[in-house]
Amino acid sequence: MSVSDDIARASRPAKLVRDKIPQLVRASGEEPITSIADDTEYRRLLRLKLREEVEEFVASDDVEELADVLEVVRALVVDLGTEFDTLEQIRDHKAANRGGFSQRIVWYGNRPKLT
């Protein structure tokens, strides 16, 4: 039986997992069905993983889920061909020019101009 046959029979949709998950599954006595994503699939799956992790954080307010979001962001930064320090510099620049979110300002739009 080939890996592609295994993938075709898999009961779950394809999802990106952390690098050590297959060995953890094997250690539990199961045999994972895996493949290595090509560049296009990796980019697509990273974006789906980001949504998944953000949804899990929003639902739980668990800081561990927020750490998962950060891990996916780090992978996206590398995939985009840049460095995390560069992302942090961009964030810092935006914060300096537009502010952060510490003041908790909620915007509802603008008042109509009086004519």
Side-chain angles (χ1 to χ4, degrees), residues 64-81:
E64 289 213 13
E65 296 299 343
L66 192 55
D68 290 341
V69 171
L70 184 57
E71 189 67 30
V72 176
V73 168
R74 286 181 175 274
L76 283 163
V77 166
V78 171
D79 186 60
L80 292 170

Side-chain angles (χ1 to χ4, degrees), residues 10-88:
S11 59
R12 297 173 177 235
K15 103 177 203 175
L16 193 64
V17 295
R18 288 177 176 266
D19 299 340
K20 294 183 179 181
I21 295 300
Q23 71 190 71
L24 293 171
V25 169
R26 284 186 195 95
S28 75
E30 299 289 329
E31 185 58 33
I33 301 168
T34 64
S35 67
I36 304 300
D38 63 23
D39 290 347
T40 302
E41 182 182 28
Y42 182 60
R43 287 183 188 108
R44 181 181 66 80
L45 291 174
L46 270 175
R47 283 151 181 79
L48 289 173
K49 181 57 100 175
L50 180 61
R51 282 191 197 116
E52 174 192 334
E53 298 300 350
V54 167
E55 288 171 4
E56 289 176 3
F57 169 71
V58 168
S60 69
D61 266 351
D62 184 343
V63 72
E64 289 213 13
E65 296 299 343
L66 192 55
D68 290 341
V69 171
L70 184 57
E71 189 67 30
V72 176
V73 168
R74 286 181 175 274
L76 283 163
V77 166
V78 171
D79 186 60
L80 292 170
T82 190
E83 301 286 331
F84 196 78
D85 288 347
T86 303
L87 180 65
E88 180 57 26

